[in-house]
């Protein structure tokens, strides 16, 4: 099958096999066939996410626009649910409209399956989102995994029960619980099989674990340390401890999960808690301490973060990599396959909750949260300082991987009465908000941080500038003026040259977006004159873009190119790619103005490639627009290629959640290209080629040519 024929989507791959569940899979598929909202419920550790993932993979052929998985484990704020959905979809949040409305608009005409995984802590937000999205998108289907149902009228519910356990040795061969135990045990102890001598113990162990997959996997991981008969002997003691004591920390859920007075913890909750508590007991003191401390991470983490947050005199930093390996071997921590960066780890929710309970029992919750915040505050500071450099792509990948933890750090910092930490953290993440496609969440956090700390400071000035750049990305220049005024006042008050540059550059961008080119030229030229002999920085690069844009509009192409060459040379000296790509885009505009079509295409292609590597959707969209303009301007105008590129560009524009933004002349050029190609091809042929371009994947082999599109 050609790459362009693959169904879109982001369904995570399965790292281990799924045992049994054929009946439940058929039931889930039937429910999805008769209802647009299906919830898979069940106790923690019963395998809800695994079943949903397998079912979604089987259902994928039914959905022309794919299956999209939204992982909600690390999300703590229900207000950001729609943003999380947008991030999972190919939808950048570049709109000032409510994000739920943006997502609803994007899904309105699409036929896809949306899987919201681990929703129990966000029930109210999920109810509101599900109702709004199903109402707006008639071809949308939603699957949810949660420990509780949403309670909506349209909802179908599949309650997932534990795996069947054998009544005795005579039916153990037909028991999925035994099969899972043996398969996972073989991963720990290569060659593990059930002999006649230990068959009774295997059956008893499966019965004690009550068929709960997570409990079985935790027990199987211990078979490398003790034989089955010893496991069987030790587990009943743990059950007795749990059932005979009220509130025993080894078996009880964390305080937030405890049953109300007069109710019992369900037996299978007890079985899981008991198994986790028993696995906890088998850990060494150092392993237990690391387990508790790792629970502070909201999502996945790498070894560096684990060492920085968890190490002290009780847990020497040199010991942590080895301890992490032991916890992985014992299924307490999951190792995530390396995707090009450093290897990462994560805990399942139930295991993390248990660790968090012990962290509170140890009196370490607050200090560990402080250390988590301090680490990610330093992380953002370093990422900001090194963004305009040779490690830019690395910092993009690291920041994207750590975003769940950065969110958690921002949420915690906003609870602090002083508010200054939140201001610094949100401001230092400007590059992620503005350059990497997260302006909506940036606006959310920056607004809260600026409200939390209103005291004038250079950090507040930077956060205001970051908010202004977010507004630029969102296409809202009229809201920028008030920020510029306060930034300039801050610069004067503290004598801060960097803040003054930010004020003038932001003002020049505001002016050019509002069509005041004379003011834009004056402001941007003043910035360039002050820094002509010094290394440039992001605000100065932006001033260069504004100045060159005005030059191009005035027909002063050589002067525009001179400014752009200066910016490009500075970027090359520092190994910077994001601003360099925009400079290439502007060079393509200058090339078109000079009639240098081939050069325009090469510069546009270079810009698009770099923006694609950084997931900068807005940068990709404008680069594709200029490529379409180059195709239309060629001596032998290629109408098919023009139409294809316009469709490919429209695909990206549609992911932005906002109409096309930019300079009015660019929008007019795009419309002229469309009209020219439509006249050359005829309406029907134009529509066909445009549609093929629209459905071509950006990562297809040579997607910039019509041949990249799959045939109808």
């Amino acid at each position: 099958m050609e790459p362009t024929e693959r169904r879109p989507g982001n369904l995570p791959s399965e790292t281990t096999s799924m045992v049994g569940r054929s009946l439940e899979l058929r039931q889930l598929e039937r429910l999805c066939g008769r209802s647009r909202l299906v919830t898979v419920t069940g106790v923690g550790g019963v395998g809800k996410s695994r079943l949903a993932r397998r079912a979604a993979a089987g259902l994928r052929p039914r959905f022309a626009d794919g299956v999209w998985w939204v992982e909600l484990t690390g999300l703590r704020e229900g207000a950001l649910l729609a943003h999380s959905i947008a991030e999972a979809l190919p939808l950048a949040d570049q709109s000032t409209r409510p994000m739920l409305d943006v997502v609803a608009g994007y899904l309105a005409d699409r036929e896809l399956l949306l899987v919201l995984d681990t929703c129990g802590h966000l029930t109210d937000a999920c109810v509101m989102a599900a109702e709004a999205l199903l109402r707006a998108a008639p071809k949308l289907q939603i699957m949810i995994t949660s420990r509780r149902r949403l309670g909506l009228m349209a909802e179908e519910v599949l309650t997932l029960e534990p795996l069947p356990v054998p009544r005795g040795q005579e039916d153990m061969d037909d028991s999925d619980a035994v099969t899972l135990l043996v398969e996972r045990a073989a991963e720990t102890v290569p060659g593990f099989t059930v002999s006649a001598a230990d068959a009774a113990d295997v059956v008893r162990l499966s019965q004690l674990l009550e068929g709960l997959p997570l409990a079985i996997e935790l027990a199987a991981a211990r078979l490398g340390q003790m034989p089955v008969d010893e496991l069987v002997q030790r587990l009943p003691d743990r059950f007795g401890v749990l059932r005979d004591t009220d509130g025993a920390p080894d078996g009880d859920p964390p305080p937030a999960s405890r049953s109300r007075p007069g109710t019992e913890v369900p037996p299978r909750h007890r079985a899981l808690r008991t198994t986790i508590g028993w696995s906890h007991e088998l850990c060494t003191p150092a392993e237990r301490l690391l387990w508790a401390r790792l629970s502070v991470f909201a999502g996945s983490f790498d070894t560096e973060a684990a060492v920085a947050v968890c190490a002290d005199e009780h847990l020497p930093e040199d010991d942590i990599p080895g301890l992490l390996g032991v916890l992985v071997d014992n299924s307490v921590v999951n190792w995530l396959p390396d995707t090009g960066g450093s290897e990462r780890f994560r805990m399942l929710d139930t295991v993390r909750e248990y660790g968090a309970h012990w962290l509170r029992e140890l009196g370490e919750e607050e200090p560990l949260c402080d250390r988590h915040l301090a680490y990610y505050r330093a992380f953002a500071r370093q990422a900001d300082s090194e963004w305009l450099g040779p490690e830019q792509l690395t910092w993009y990948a690291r920041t994207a991987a750590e975003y769940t933890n950065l969110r958690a750090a921002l949420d915690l910092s906003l609870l602090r009465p002083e508010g200054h930490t939140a201001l610094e953290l949100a401001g230092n993440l400007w590059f992620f908000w503005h350059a990497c496609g997260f302006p909506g969440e940036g606006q959310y956090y920056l607004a809260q941080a600026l409200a939390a700390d209103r005291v004038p400071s250079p950090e507040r000035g930077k956060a205001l500038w970051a908010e202004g750049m977010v507004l630029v990305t969102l296409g809202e220049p009229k809201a920028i003026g008030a920020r510029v005024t306060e930034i300039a006042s801050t610069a004067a008050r503290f004598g801060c040259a960097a803040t003054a540059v930010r004020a003038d550059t932001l003002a020049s961008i505001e002016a050019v977006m509002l069509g005041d080119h004379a003011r834009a030229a004056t402001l941007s030229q003043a910035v360039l004159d002050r820094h002509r002999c010094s290394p440039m920085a992001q605000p100065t690069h932006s001033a260069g873009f504004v100045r060159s844009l005005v030059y191009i509009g005035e027909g002063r192409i050589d002067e525009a190119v001179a400014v752009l060459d200066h910016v490009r040379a500075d970027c090359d000296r520092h190994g910077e790619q994001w601003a360099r790509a925009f400079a290439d885009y502007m060079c393509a505009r200058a090339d078109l103005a000079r009639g240098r079509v081939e050069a325009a295409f090469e510069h546009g292609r270079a810009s698009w490639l770099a923006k694609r590597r950084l997931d900068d959707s807005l940068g990709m969209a404008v680069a594709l627009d200029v490529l379409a303009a180059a195709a239309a301007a060629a001596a032998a105008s290629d109408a098919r290629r023009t139409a294809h590129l316009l469709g490919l560009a429209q695909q990206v524009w549609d992911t932005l959640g906002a109409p096309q933004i930019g300079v009015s002349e660019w929008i007019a050029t795009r419309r002229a290209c469309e009209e020219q190609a439509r006249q050359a091809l005829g309406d029907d042929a134009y529509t066909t080629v445009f549609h093929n371009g629209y459905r071509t994947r950006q990562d297809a082999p040579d997607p910039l040519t019509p041949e990249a599109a799959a045939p109808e």
Side-chain angles (χ1 to χ4, degrees):
M1 183 179 290
E2 290 295 321
T4 47
E5 295 178 324
R6 288 193 333 215
R7 296 286 183 181
N10 68 338
L11 197 61
S13 58
E14 295 186 44
T15 56
T16 58
S17 62
M18 187 175 77
V19 173
R21 301 303 196 192
S22 57
L23 174 62
E24 291 88 343
L25 276 171
R26 291 195 298 272
Q27 290 175 332
L28 187 51
E29 289 177 359
R30 281 199 297 271
L31 291 177
C32 289
R34 72 188 194 202
S35 175
R36 296 173 58 213
L37 175 63
V38 177
T39 299
V40 182
T41 66
V43 300
V46 79
K48 299 182 291 294
S49 297
R50 186 184 295 273
L51 180 72
R53 188 161 54 239
R54 177 65 64 88
L59 292 168
R60 186 158 36 192
R62 299 186 189 179
F63 297 95
D65 296 299
V67 174
W68 298 90
W69 185 274
V70 187
E71 173 60 63
L72 298 174
T73 298
L75 184 65
R76 298 178 179 179
E77 291 291 330
L80 294 177
L81 173 62
H83 290 81
S84 294
I85 296 173
E87 289 158 22
L89 294 167
L91 173 61
D93 61 342
Q94 298 184 215
S95 169
T96 55
R97 291 186 294 150
M99 187 47 58
L100 189 57
D101 292 349
V102 174
V103 174
Y106 176 80
L107 295 175
D109 298 321
R110 285 176 164 81
E111 183 181 19
L112 61 77
L113 173 63
L114 191 65
V115 186
L116 305 181
D117 183 46
T118 315
C119 300
H121 59 302
L122 300 167
T123 300
D124 291 344
C126 286
V127 166
M128 183 174 71
E131 287 183 317
L133 298 180
L134 290 171
R135 184 168 54 248
K139 297 179 181 179
L140 171 68
Q141 191 151 351
I142 298 176
M143 185 187 300
I144 284 173
T145 72
S146 174
R147 296 182 193 178
R148 53 186 293 195
R149 61 179 298 164
L150 297 187
L152 295 174
M153 289 291 292
E155 180 183 24
E156 292 278 3
V157 178
L158 174 66
T159 301
L160 190 61
E161 298 293 341
L163 296 171
V165 298
R167 292 185 296 273
Q169 295 182 50
E170 66 280 0
D171 58 356
M172 64 179 292
D173 290 342
D174 299 324
S175 168
D176 291 335
V178 171
T179 301
L180 179 61
L181 178 63
V182 172
E183 284 192 9
R184 296 299 185 262
E187 294 172 8
T188 302
V189 184
F192 178 88
T193 58
V194 181
S195 66
D198 56 22
D201 288 324
V202 168
V203 169
R204 180 58 181 150
L205 182 58
S206 301
Q207 293 169 341
L208 287 170
L209 299 172
E210 297 181 331
L212 277 168
L214 178 56
I216 291 170
E217 296 194 5
L218 288 170
R222 293 293 178 177
L223 286 174
Q225 301 164 18
M226 64 184 72
V228 179
D229 60 342
E230 186 176 342
L231 285 179
V232 171
Q233 291 170 14
R234 298 184 66 165
L235 262 179
D237 292 338
R238 290 290 307 129
F239 278 85
V241 167
L242 178 68
R243 288 167 177 158
D244 292 341
T245 58
D246 183 18
D250 284 336
D252 210 13
S257 305
R258 286 179 183 160
S259 303
R260 295 184 300 275
T263 65
E264 284 190 27
V265 179
R268 283 173 178 141
H269 278 291
R270 292 203 300 266
L272 181 59
R273 293 289 175 183
T274 296
T275 308
I276 295 176
W278 165 76
S279 185
H280 186 262
E281 273 191 353
L282 293 178
C283 291
T284 66
E287 292 162 10
R288 288 197 291 266
L289 184 58
L290 182 58
W291 179 348
R293 290 180 175 181
L294 290 174
S295 69
V296 79
F297 289 100
S300 66
F301 54 89
D302 61 16
T303 304
E304 177 188 310
V307 169
V309 174
C310 301
D312 63 6
E313 66 275 13
H314 303 295
L315 276 180
E317 61 180 58
D318 291 343
D319 293 351
I320 287 180
L323 293 170
L324 259 178
V326 174
L327 292 177
V328 169
D329 290 341
N330 292 327
S331 296
V332 173
V333 171
N334 292 342
W335 173 80
L336 304 180
D338 185 6
T339 56
S342 62
E343 63 179 2
R344 298 185 67 79
F345 307 88
R346 64 170 295 174
M347 284 177 156
L348 294 178
D349 280 355
T350 309
V351 177
R352 182 189 292 113
E353 289 168 3
Y354 192 87
H357 167 72
W358 272 100
L359 195 66
R360 288 189 292 271
E361 291 290 317
L362 293 169
E364 288 196 354
E365 182 178 27
E366 185 173 347
L368 260 293
C369 286
D370 288 344
R371 293 181 67 171
H372 181 275
L373 174 56
Y375 174 76
Y376 286 102
R377 183 181 185 183
F379 177 99
R381 191 181 298 133
Q382 184 180 1
D384 170 38
S385 68
E386 297 183 16
W387 174 251
L388 299 178
E391 300 300 318
Q392 189 173 76
L393 284 174
T394 299
W395 276 112
Y396 164 71
R398 288 189 66 189
T399 306
E402 294 287 4
Y403 190 43
T404 303
N405 283 302
L406 287 164
R407 248 193 205 143
L410 281 162
D411 291 338
L412 178 62
S413 67
L414 287 167
L415 297 175
R416 300 293 169 85
E418 40 87 16
H420 191 75
T421 299
L423 197 69
E424 179 195 321
L425 181 53
N428 281 336
L429 288 172
W430 69 269
F431 66 92
F432 202 62
W433 312 134
H434 170 58
C436 301
F438 289 82
E441 283 199 53
Q443 187 180 39
Y444 172 85
Y445 280 116
L446 284 162
Q448 290 193 77
L450 287 164
D453 182 7
R454 299 182 180 275
V455 178
S457 67
E459 291 78 14
R460 180 173 173 82
K462 184 172 183 177
L464 285 162
W465 168 76
E467 188 179 39
M469 295 304 290
V470 162
L471 290 169
V472 169
T473 311
L474 294 171
E476 293 291 332
K478 293 180 181 179
I480 293 173
R483 279 80 176 173
V484 170
T485 301
E486 187 175 347
I487 297 168
S489 174
T490 301
R493 177 170 182 167
F494 293 95
C496 182
T499 304
V501 170
R502 292 187 180 107
D504 290 345
T505 301
L506 188 57
S508 73
I509 298 171
E510 173 201 24
V512 80
M513 291 182 74
L514 293 174
D516 189 348
H517 287 196
R519 180 167 173 263
T522 300
L523 289 166
S524 58
Q525 188 63 55
V527 171
L528 295 174
D529 289 344
R530 288 202 301 270
H531 294 271
R532 190 168 299 279
C533 298
S534 61
M536 302 182 80
Q538 200 285 329
T540 328
H541 290 157
S542 295
F545 299 145
V546 171
R547 191 67 189 98
S548 64
L549 191 152
V550 176
Y551 275 141
I552 291 171
E554 295 172 344
R556 299 162 66 179
I557 309 304
D558 290 343
E559 290 161 288
V561 171
V563 173
L564 292 170
D565 284 346
H566 184 48
V567 173
R568 293 166 73 206
D570 187 73
C571 291
D572 289 344
R573 277 194 299 274
H574 293 89
E576 198 280 341
Q577 297 187 51
W578 181 80
R580 174 64 153 83
F582 196 80
D584 283 336
Y585 166 76
M586 292 299 300
C587 282
R589 288 284 172 190
D591 290 331
L592 283 175
R594 291 197 290 196
R596 298 177 54 188
V597 175
E598 289 186 10
F601 202 89
E602 288 307 309
H603 281 131
R605 185 174 185 275
S607 177
W608 170 77
L609 285 170
K611 294 299 188 182
R612 186 178 68 170
R613 284 193 293 271
L614 288 162
D615 282 341
D616 180 355
S617 297
L618 181 58
M620 290 167 61
V622 296
L624 288 167
D625 275 355
V626 82
L627 286 169
S637 176
D638 190 341
R640 289 188 73 252
R641 192 172 203 181
T642 301
H644 173 83
L645 288 166
L646 288 170
L648 194 62
Q650 191 62 49
Q651 173 200 128
V652 185
W653 282 114
D654 283 353
T655 71
L656 295 175
Q660 293 164 15
I661 61 175
V663 180
S664 58
E665 291 88 342
W666 300 351
I667 298 173
T669 298
R670 177 185 171 86
R671 290 172 180 162
C673 289
E674 178 183 346
E675 183 60 28
Q676 179 181 328
R678 192 180 291 276
Q679 288 182 357
L681 295 172
D683 285 343
D684 291 344
Y686 174 86
T687 299
T688 298
V689 178
F690 179 92
H691 173 72
N692 286 342
Y694 186 90
R695 68 190 186 93
T696 298
R697 294 192 345 270
Q698 299 285 327
D699 61 349
D702 197 14
L704 304 182
T705 63
E707 290 73 24
E712 290 287 350

